[in-house]
Amino acid sequence: MPCFLHSHPSTLSRSPQPTRQVVRGFAKAFALAVMVVAFALPSVANVCTVTSTDDSSTVAGTLRYAIGQANTGECDTITFSLAYPATITLQQGSLEISNTAKPITITGPGATNLAIGGGGVGFVIDAGVTASISGLTIENCNAGEHPGGGILNN
């Protein structure tokens, strides 16, 4: 048998509903969470990709050109897309990393896949510059009084 609740309208109450204050509080908490996540994420890198084994400072796609771009702030990460194994022979002297506003990262495809060398010191890193070089072999270089030196870190 069905059961009916009989009540006087004045004794009925509405169920609680979220107030605007609760909604605003949630919106503020959500916005704060989004900001925390955004600041916790690393900044997006500007990438230069080396696609040529030539040694030119004026041809896009070469390592020397990419380092020039990094020195002017156009990129902060250098990667490689070459036919492997590959060798970049430095015919114009050392590769100088200087005047970078933020750290520069050079990431090769692996030491057995990419060799860079010849032409004096392989890399010259100026004072005050932070550079990370990995995933490549530096060979056949000469660092003045240190034959075989591939990186001169000032």
Side-chain angles (χ1 to χ4, degrees):
M1 164 178 215
C3 178
F4 296 100
L5 176 63
H6 296 283
S7 178
H8 189 273
S10 63
T11 61
L12 293 177
S13 65
R14 295 166 128 196
S15 60
Q17 294 185 7
T19 64
R20 289 182 190 222
Q21 187 175 10
V22 171
V23 172
R24 284 186 195 135
F26 175 77
K28 287 179 183 179
F30 181 75
L32 179 61
V34 169
M35 288 187 341
V36 167
V37 169
F39 285 113
L41 294 174
S43 62
V44 177
N46 294 320
V47 178
C48 289
T49 302
V50 176
T51 57
S52 171
T53 58
D54 292 340
D55 184 29
S56 172
S57 60
T58 60
V59 177
T62 65
L63 178 57
R64 192 171 298 276
Y65 183 86
I67 288 176
Q69 294 294 297
N71 288 342
T72 62
E74 295 295 317
C75 67
D76 55 16
T77 301
I78 298 173
T79 61
F80 297 83
S81 179
L82 302 166
Y84 303 112
T87 300
I88 297 174
T89 302
L90 303 178
Q91 298 174 345
Q92 297 183 30
S94 304
L95 297 165
E96 184 176 5
I97 301 174
S98 64
N99 301 323
T100 58
K102 51 188 170 179
I104 180 172
T105 302
I106 300 173
T107 306
T112 59
N113 290 323
L114 178 60
I116 298 171
V121 177
F123 292 90
V124 175
I125 302 170
D126 287 353
V129 173
T130 300
S132 172
I133 302 170
S134 64
L136 54 89
T137 297
I138 302 169
E139 63 184 14
N140 303 321
C141 295
N142 184 359
E145 70 265 10
H146 307 288
I151 299 175
L152 176 59
N153 187 10
N154 291 316

